[in-house]
């Protein structure tokens, strides 16, 4: 493997040395540290390494270190289980300065409640990328803000941002979570956390994907490096040959990528362990279906206060109430199918939509809740409509899908 500049070989040891140097140079301006941990490979490497470096005396212990796990409720099952296991390990250390916290978005902003309750269509790469901000970034911002309020001083947040391999080649930092196997959310943390309440540091920014796997697969599980249980994480990324795969994980059925690479890989490589998750493959087509116009409302010539047309006067918007009910049932069925198989094969159950979330979704239906600027009286997006132009002229036409 090459170094940061693509010239010399660099080992995990060398990488660690640079990490220690960067922490010593920047981190001690702050007494209280936070690790924004998503459960994916980069932030897990960061989290386990920082704790190891402190416990082994290679970096000084801060007054407090809080490991904040961003639980989206949508994570790939082995990743979610792996994170749970590691949280238990941290708690078992029973160190007064080391705390854990599970960070989750508030009920109304959770993935399914927002979509199936409020009626906002699934996120996409083009015009509607609401998920990362809402289920990962905002909850983390709020949690760090609360930490700042409790402590009364600026904290330091560690992220797992790395420069992707191609970004290293062309010398630019890769923040996009859909590229280079980068972890969804990490770049956003770097860019959007309020620097009045927290400074950010990316201590493994110079690590390559092979260094990350060397750490997670070879070093971290050894007792002297912390004895971290990274087995689930390694499985989630495809098992032993994981180093060859710059895989991207994230939410089950993530609508922003073309394939469920991680889900496919675990089902193919570990069919006995994860084959029962097969029904989760139905999520992505379901999200695609939800975006169809037949399930959504459309503005018919929306105008501004002065009567002129808005930028997009015929925009297609939220899911109808019937569609929300239909798709909620479909999700319940998918979850039930997985859990029936889980029982049959003695595997862990999944919990992507729980009773509390379901009753909150129903509350939205009962109270006729619509996204901002929608009332539910708008016509179906497939209804015929008349096109009104800026000069006030009208073209009468039948709109057909
Ligand atoms: S993994 Fe996909 S669905 Fe989940 S937050 Fe990231 S982009 Fe959104």
């Amino acid at each position: 493997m090459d170094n940061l500049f693509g010239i010399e070989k660099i080992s995990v040891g060398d990488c660690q040395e640079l990490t220690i140097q960067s922490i010593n140079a920047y981190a001690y301006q702050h007494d209280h540290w936070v690790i924004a941990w998503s459960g994916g490979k980069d932030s897990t490497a960061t989290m386990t390494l920082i704790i190891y470096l402190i416990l082994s005396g290679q970096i000084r212990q801060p007054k407090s270190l809080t490991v904040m796990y961003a639980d989206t409720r949508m994570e790939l099952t082995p990743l979610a289980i792996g994170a749970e296991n590691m949280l238990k390990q941290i708690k078992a250390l029973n160190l007064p300065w080391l705390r854990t916290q599970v960070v989750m978005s508030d009920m109304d902003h959770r993935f399914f409640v927002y979509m199936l309750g409020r009626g906002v269509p699934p996120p996409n790469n083009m015009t509607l990328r609401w998920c990362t901000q809402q289920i990962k970034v905002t909850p983390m911002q709020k949690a760090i803000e609360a930490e700042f309020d409790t402590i009364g001083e600026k904290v330091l947040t560690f992220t797992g941002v790395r420069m992707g391999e191609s970004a290293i080649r062309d010398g630019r930092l890769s923040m996009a979570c859909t590229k280079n196997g980068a972890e969804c959310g990490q770049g956003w943390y770097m860019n959007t956390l309020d620097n009045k309440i927290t400074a950010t540091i990316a201590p493994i920014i110079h690590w390559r994907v092979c260094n990350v796997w060397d750490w997670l697969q070879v070093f971290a599980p050894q007792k002297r490096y912390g004895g971290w249980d990274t087995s689930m994480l390694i499985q989630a990324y495809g098992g032993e040959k994981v180093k060859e795969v710059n895989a991207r994980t994230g939410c089950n059925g993530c609508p922003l990528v073309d394939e469920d690479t991680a889900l496919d890989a675990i089902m193919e490589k570990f069919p006995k362990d994860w084959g029962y998750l097969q029904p989760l493959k139905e999520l992505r087509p379901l999200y695609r279906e939800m975006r169809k116009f037949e399930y959504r409302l459309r503005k018919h010539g929306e105008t501004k206060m002065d009567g002129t047309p808005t930028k997009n006067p015929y925009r297609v918007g939220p899911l109808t109430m019937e569609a929300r009910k239909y798709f909620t049932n479909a999700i319940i069925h998918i979850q039930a199918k997985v859990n029936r198989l889980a029982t049959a094969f003695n595997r862990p159950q999944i919990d992507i939509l729980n009773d509390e979330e379901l009753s909150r979704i129903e509350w939205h239906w009962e109270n006729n809740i619509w996204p901002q600027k929608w009332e539910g009286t708008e016509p179906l997006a497939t209804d015929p409509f008349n096109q009104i132009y800026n000069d006030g002229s009208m073209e009468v036409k039948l709109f057909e899908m």
Side-chain angles (χ1 to χ4, degrees):
M1 54 198 115
D2 298 336
N3 76 359
L4 183 59
F5 306 103
I7 305 163
E8 291 167 20
K9 303 265 184 195
I10 185 164
S11 67
V12 172
D14 296 331
C15 281
Q16 265 188 42
E17 202 38 57
L18 276 173
T19 296
I20 293 170
Q21 282 172 22
S22 73
I23 291 172
N24 284 333
Y26 301 109
Y28 293 103
Q29 293 162 22
H30 308 274
D31 287 332
H32 300 276
W33 297 357
V34 163
I35 300 179
W37 177 40
S38 74
K41 66 182 190 315
D42 298 329
S43 60
T44 301
T46 306
M47 184 273 285
T48 51
L49 178 75
I50 297 298
I51 295 178
Y52 156 68
L53 290 176
I54 296 172
L55 294 181
S56 60
Q58 294 178 74
I59 59 172
R60 207 156 23 89
Q61 176 201 310
K63 279 195 186 146
S64 76
L65 171 61
T66 308
V67 176
M68 293 189 178
Y69 170 54
D71 183 359
T72 62
R73 308 255 312 108
M74 299 298 297
E75 296 300 322
L76 192 70
T77 311
L79 274 187
I81 298 172
E84 214 176 293
N85 291 345
M86 280 188 255
L87 282 173
K88 282 187 197 143
Q89 281 188 276
I90 301 169
K91 281 187 198 143
L93 290 170
N94 204 15
L95 297 165
W97 53 271
L98 179 59
R99 292 188 296 121
T100 59
Q101 187 178 335
V102 176
V103 173
M104 219 183 274
S105 68
D106 61 65
M107 182 57 77
D108 285 358
H109 290 98
R110 293 198 194 160
F111 196 80
F112 285 139
V113 179
Y114 196 62
M115 225 161 53
L116 303 168
R118 197 173 184 82
V120 177
N124 67 12
N125 267 321
M126 310 293 286
T127 50
L128 200 63
R129 169 76 187 268
W130 52 262
C131 52
T132 315
Q133 179 71 43
Q134 196 164 300
I135 64 177
K136 291 192 169 176
V137 181
T138 304
M140 191 59 79
Q141 279 167 339
K142 284 188 179 164
I144 295 172
E145 233 169 82
E147 185 78 357
F148 169 80
D149 287 343
T150 313
I151 291 168
E153 64 185 58
K154 197 163 164 175
V155 299
L156 175 68
T157 302
F158 286 75
T159 77
V161 166
R162 286 185 309 108
M163 288 176 88
E165 326 296 278
S166 65
I168 288 174
R169 274 194 301 276
D170 45 19
R172 106 200 108 73
L173 189 63
S174 169
M175 292 296 197
C177 77
T178 45
K179 294 201 180 101
N180 272 314
E183 231 173 272
C184 173
Q186 294 294 309
W188 292 47
Y189 295 148
M190 287 301 282
N191 281 338
T192 60
L193 288 175
D194 179 355
N195 64 16
K196 285 198 207 81
I197 59 164
T198 183
T200 42
I201 183 169
I204 66 160
I205 196 154
H206 54 287
W207 289 38
R208 286 207 151 180
V209 71
C210 52
N211 303 126
V212 170
W213 285 122
D214 277 345
W215 170 256
L216 291 171
Q217 229 173 347
V218 181
F219 294 92
Q222 294 179 41
K223 207 161 174 227
R224 64 192 165 126
Y225 293 99
W228 296 100
D229 179 5
T230 55
S231 56
M232 285 284 167
L233 179 77
I234 290 165
Q235 275 204 359
Y237 283 89
E240 272 173 27
K241 297 238 161 99
V242 75
K243 273 187 240 178
E244 293 158 23
V245 190
N246 196 13
R248 177 193 185 276
T249 54
C251 301
N252 283 310
C254 168
L256 272 79
V257 289
D258 297 330
E259 287 170 63
D260 296 312
T261 38
L263 183 58
D264 291 343
I266 58 167
M267 288 196 305
E268 192 196 315
K269 295 200 171 142
F270 310 101
K272 282 198 185 135
D273 291 337
W274 305 114
Y276 75 101
L277 297 176
Q278 177 68 33
L280 289 177
K281 291 285 295 172
E282 294 167 36
L283 285 175
R284 178 194 309 285
L286 202 70
Y287 298 148
R288 258 202 310 268
E289 181 75 10
M290 273 186 216
R291 298 194 60 79
K292 288 188 178 163
F293 287 8
E294 66 207 74
Y295 301 110
R296 298 166 64 188
L297 302 183
R298 177 199 285 274
K299 295 274 185 193
H300 275 200
E302 190 186 33
T303 52
K304 296 186 216 154
M305 299 285 275
D306 64 3
T308 56
T310 58
K311 209 166 147 204
N312 185 4
Y314 300 98
R315 69 198 154 94
V316 177
L319 297 164
T320 63
M321 282 295 170
E322 294 68 36
R324 296 181 214 178
K325 290 172 189 171
Y326 170 76
F327 288 114
T328 300
N329 267 329
I331 303 282
I332 292 172
H333 274 109
I334 291 173
Q335 174 161 274
K337 269 195 264 181
V338 172
N339 286 340
R340 271 198 300 276
L341 291 167
T343 309
F345 295 104
N346 199 20
R347 296 294 298 152
Q349 303 257 322
I350 61 158
D351 168 30
I352 54 174
L353 181 58
N354 63 27
D355 289 347
E356 209 190 336
E357 288 156 347
L358 194 54
S359 71
R360 190 63 187 172
I361 288 172
E362 285 163 356
W363 177 90
H364 280 78
W365 302 343
E366 282 151 20
N367 288 280
N368 195 31
I369 304 290
W370 294 85
Q372 260 188 351
K373 298 189 182 161
W374 293 84
E375 286 165 4
T377 50
E378 297 83 356
L380 202 60
T382 44
D383 281 358
F385 67 95
N386 299 332
Q387 181 111 31
I388 305 163
Y389 295 102
N390 281 353
D391 63 2
S393 63
M394 183 190 287
E395 184 186 343
V396 180
K397 67 176 179 184
L398 287 181
F399 178 82
E400 286 176 36
M401 284 303 301

